[in-house]
Amino acid sequence: MGSGPEPRPNRISFVNSSPSSTLSPKANRDLFDQSALSDLAQRLVEAARRAGADAADAVAVRGVSQGVEVRDGRVEESERSEGDDVGLRVLVGQRQAVVSTNDVSGDAVTKLAERAVAMARVAPDDKYVGLADPALLARDFPDLDLLDPDVPATAELERRALAAEAAALGVKGVTKSGGASASAGIGGMVLVTSTGFHGSYLRSSQGISATAISGEGTSMERDYDFTSAPHGADLLSPEAVGRSAGERTVARYNPRKVETCKVPVVFDPRVAGSLVGHLVGAINGASIARKTSFLKDKLGQQLFAKNIRIIDDPLRKRGLRSQTFDAEGVAVKKTALVDEGVLTTWLLDCATARELGLTTTGHAHRGVSSSPSPGPYNLHLEPGTPTPAELIADISQGFYVTDLIGSGVNGVTGDYSRGASGFWIENGEITYPVSEVTIAGHLFEIFKSMQPANNLEFRYGINAPTVRIEGLTLGGR
């Protein structure tokens, strides 16, 4: 398999595990209070300066999560996880080091800072490292409504999971459960820099998922559905999730093989976002700086039809990946990555921007043990005007993709090849299920022929409506 896009950076996220106990009101209050995290990050930066660092920044992360997994009407697993982690980045001249810990007792802060400075002094020079220009730092922190203070109790998570499983089993043709789960979490992050930036946010996360199985023995089929959102009120109901999982599974039963051919391919919204993901991987500043992207010379060029806009919006209210500043404290903004079909920007943090002679776009992400690297926020492909039915109405023979398998996309060359399953399109209608095929083409051609339908919904980190692509090669029997 060829080289793909740059790996996604570590993101501050939640562990969707599961708990044997619920969060008490006092525990919630303690979690919502980020003053201790702020004080810790500030002390780390001050300790680094005292130890000889020319500049430093610190991130402190806290998370509590709980969830329940059920199967066959019984709880299989119930867990809870929580923890605080801190990371310190120090710069001595043009040398950089990053250290992290979850132990800040006693004189651990001082020792951590001294160790980081000692590491930086023997690190290789890197002329691109450094903190963000103070002029670029965020000063406004709008309320994005990311925190649901109503943390569901364990009993409520059990109810959701059991209801989703029961709904899946209630679909005619479903023979057994693949399990269901429900989870909830709250996490916080604080960033402090030696240039005076001090920012923090809290984010909640809730989710429900279900998997159903149809058929028996070697002819079994499996499918799933899920819902996730910062606020419980924005989740699909457990019954809707389970019913959808069951219906998807039954629809896949007794799939056929098809002959190798070249046909229009239509991507279901659940997988259409992957096409946006391939674009974003290719415009990651790290890939551009290393010249390992097939789009390295395409900035400002027309890659898509004029009606295509692809948006990255970190400021969307209640967005799964929303936040008001990036991992270097830089202000973030809604950006059209593709506008009227034209590629308008790279995704940059400060280091990749310096290397390319540009200014950061506010896309830095980092975990406590990593230096910043570029990555997206809430991505979406804007909808078109045709309905999904109208999008496929003139297809005499085609393929409707509902699932993709493997990662056979080469970010250096743009070659695209992935295993897939879905349904055959005949005379403008979705007909019988199809499995064990490969769809192949080149991302330039895929981007050029992309036609979105009008059914965009915001359910994932990357959202797209139904999308039609012309002339992909379908590898069958």
Side-chain angles (χ1 to χ4, degrees), residues 9-297:
N10 295 332
R11 299 183 65 87
I12 294 164
S13 59
F14 301 103
V15 182
N16 281 335
S17 58
S18 12
S20 54
S21 61
T22 188
L23 301 180
S24 68
K26 180 182 184 304
N28 282 355
R29 287 196 302 271
D30 291 344
L31 183 62
F32 297 163
D33 181 1
Q34 292 181 291
S35 57
L37 282 180
S38 297
D39 177 67
L40 174 58
Q42 186 68 48
R43 286 191 292 121
L44 279 167
V45 170
E46 292 171 354
R49 295 303 300 272
R50 287 195 303 270
D54 296 318
D57 62 11
V59 291
V61 181
R62 171 175 296 165
V64 174
S65 64
Q66 55 183 6
V68 173
E69 295 182 12
V70 304
R71 189 186 299 267
D72 298 328
R74 298 189 304 274
V75 174
E76 274 202 332
E77 188 174 1
S78 182
E79 293 181 350
R80 167 188 166 111
S81 67
E82 60 180 283
D84 293 354
D85 294 284
V86 295
L88 175 66
R89 179 172 63 135
V90 303
L91 295 106
V92 178
Q94 293 301 120
R95 301 177 178 187
Q96 173 179 274
V98 178
V99 294
S100 63
T101 186
N102 57 9
D103 178 12
V104 290
S105 58
D107 60 352
V109 166
T110 300
K111 289 182 176 179
L112 188 72
E114 291 173 347
R115 185 165 77 249
V117 172
M119 291 169 59
R121 284 179 174 146
V122 298
D125 280 343
D126 183 344
K127 61 184 178 181
Y128 304 119
V129 301
L131 302 189
D133 182 341
L136 300 175
L137 297 176
R139 291 173 175 81
D140 298 317
F141 304 95
D143 180 10
L144 302 182
D145 197 14
L146 301 179
L147 182 65
D148 186 346
D150 296 325
V151 182
T154 307
E156 170 61 14
L157 296 179
E158 289 181 8
R159 184 198 70 78
R160 293 177 183 178
L162 290 168
E165 181 182 54
L169 290 169
V171 175
K172 185 179 180 180
V174 171
T175 53
K176 62 178 69 176
S177 168
S181 66
S183 60
I186 296 174
M189 181 269 219
V190 173
L191 172 66
V192 174
T193 75
S194 58
T195 51
F197 179 82
H198 191 138
S200 63
Y201 59 81
L202 283 171
R203 179 187 292 135
S204 54
S205 174
Q206 296 189 40
I208 304 167
S209 67
T211 301
I213 298 169
S214 63
E216 299 289 345
T218 58
S219 63
M220 287 193 301
E221 294 292 332
R222 175 190 302 262
D223 212 323
Y224 68 95
D225 205 351
F226 71 96
T227 180
S228 60
H231 284 252
D234 294 334
L235 296 173
L236 298 176
S237 71
E239 293 78 10
V241 172
R243 187 163 54 250
S244 173
E247 290 170 351
R248 284 177 175 271
T249 300
V250 171
R252 292 172 62 123
Y253 187 65
N254 197 24
R256 304 184 198 176
K257 305 291 190 293
V258 294
E259 300 291 340
T260 296
C261 54
K262 199 167 187 177
V263 293
V265 175
V266 179
F267 288 72
D268 182 85
R270 188 165 77 173
V271 293
S274 66
L275 301 175
V276 177
H278 299 319
L279 169 78
V280 170
I283 65 171
N284 185 298
S287 296
I288 302 304
R290 294 168 190 160
K291 302 188 184 304
T292 56
S293 168
F294 75 102
L295 295 180
K296 62 183 183 296
D297 302 317

Side-chain angles (χ1 to χ4, degrees), residues 148-453:
D148 186 346
D150 296 325
V151 182
T154 307
E156 170 61 14
L157 296 179
E158 289 181 8
R159 184 198 70 78
R160 293 177 183 178
L162 290 168
E165 181 182 54
L169 290 169
V171 175
K172 185 179 180 180
V174 171
T175 53
K176 62 178 69 176
S177 168
S181 66
S183 60
I186 296 174
M189 181 269 219
V190 173
L191 172 66
V192 174
T193 75
S194 58
T195 51
F197 179 82
H198 191 138
S200 63
Y201 59 81
L202 283 171
R203 179 187 292 135
S204 54
S205 174
Q206 296 189 40
I208 304 167
S209 67
T211 301
I213 298 169
S214 63
E216 299 289 345
T218 58
S219 63
M220 287 193 301
E221 294 292 332
R222 175 190 302 262
D223 212 323
Y224 68 95
D225 205 351
F226 71 96
T227 180
S228 60
H231 284 252
D234 294 334
L235 296 173
L236 298 176
S237 71
E239 293 78 10
V241 172
R243 187 163 54 250
S244 173
E247 290 170 351
R248 284 177 175 271
T249 300
V250 171
R252 292 172 62 123
Y253 187 65
N254 197 24
R256 304 184 198 176
K257 305 291 190 293
V258 294
E259 300 291 340
T260 296
C261 54
K262 199 167 187 177
V263 293
V265 175
V266 179
F267 288 72
D268 182 85
R270 188 165 77 173
V271 293
S274 66
L275 301 175
V276 177
H278 299 319
L279 169 78
V280 170
I283 65 171
N284 185 298
S287 296
I288 302 304
R290 294 168 190 160
K291 302 188 184 304
T292 56
S293 168
F294 75 102
L295 295 180
K296 62 183 183 296
D297 302 317
K298 300 301 180 183
L299 188 63
Q301 295 191 21
Q302 187 94 33
L303 299 182
F304 299 79
K306 283 199 170 184
N307 66 322
I308 298 296
R309 296 185 85 234
I310 295 175
I311 307 297
D312 189 25
D313 186 6
L315 299 175
R316 199 174 82 222
K317 286 204 168 186
R318 297 195 181 191
L320 282 171
R321 301 176 180 172
S322 297
Q323 56 196 66
T324 56
F325 58 91
D326 79 351
E328 296 176 295
V330 173
V332 298
K333 62 181 180 180
K334 182 178 180 179
T335 305
L337 307 181
V338 172
D339 195 9
E340 295 186 344
V342 175
L343 177 61
T344 66
T345 185
W346 309 129
L347 300 188
L348 303 173
D349 63 353
C350 287
T352 55
R354 292 185 190 107
E355 189 169 358
L356 294 167
L358 301 169
T359 302
T360 177
T361 57
H363 281 93
H365 295 278
R366 67 181 284 196
V368 293
S369 59
S370 64
S371 57
S373 58
Y377 299 103
N378 301 301
L379 293 163
H380 73 269
L381 168 64
E382 290 202 343
T385 53
T387 66
E390 290 168 343
L391 200 67
I392 68 173
D394 66 340
I395 298 177
S396 58
Q397 300 283 317
F399 183 50
Y400 185 88
V401 184
T402 58
D403 277 287
L404 292 167
I405 305 160
S407 54
V409 180
N410 190 321
V412 179
T413 65
D415 291 323
Y416 180 95
S417 178
R418 299 195 66 180
S421 59
F423 299 87
W424 192 244
I425 300 170
E426 198 164 296
N427 298 323
E429 299 287 338
I430 293 175
T431 58
Y432 53 83
V434 171
S435 68
E436 298 181 14
V437 298
T438 301
I439 49 176
H442 194 281
L443 286 172
F444 279 140
E445 300 305 317
I446 289 172
F447 293 162
K448 190 184 300 183
S449 72
M450 184 179 288
Q451 299 178 62

